[in-house]
């Protein structure tokens, strides 16, 4: 049997168990919750969040030290 076929057979025989299914379900649930949150977010907050990277109100040195 060629090495590639041996690896394919070895991977096929691995048992992932219930943890793989639980992880997949947790990911799908978290993804759906994030999408729902994004759609139900108040418009004011969405507008504020949309402009955060573009706002230059904050100075680069906010710790009070002058250089």
């Amino acid at each position: 049997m060629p090495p590639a076929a041996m690896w394919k057979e070895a991977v096929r025989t691995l048992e992932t168990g219930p943890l793989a299914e639980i992880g997949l379900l947790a990911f799908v649930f978290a993804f759906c919750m994030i999408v729902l949150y994004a759609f139900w977010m108040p418009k004011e907050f969405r507008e504020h969040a949309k402009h955060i990277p573009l706002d230059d109100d904050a100075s680069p040195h906010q710790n009070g030290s002058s250089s």
Side-chain angles (χ1 to χ4, degrees):
M1 188 178 318
M6 287 189 336
W7 277 106
K8 184 185 266 187
E9 190 63 31
V11 170
R12 186 179 302 151
T13 59
L14 288 175
E15 291 186 24
T16 57
L19 287 179
E21 295 170 11
I22 292 170
L24 178 63
L25 291 176
F27 172 77
V28 170
F29 177 75
F31 181 79
C32 290
M33 294 303 294
I34 291 170
V35 169
L36 288 175
Y37 176 72
F39 280 114
W40 284 338
M41 191 182 308
K43 185 175 182 176
E44 296 83 22
F45 183 75
R46 195 171 43 235
E47 287 296 319
H48 172 71
K50 182 168 58 173
H51 296 291
I52 287 176
L54 303 176
D55 288 341
D56 288 336
D57 294 339
S59 64
H61 301 288
Q62 291 184 351
N63 60 4
S65 65
S66 60
S67 35

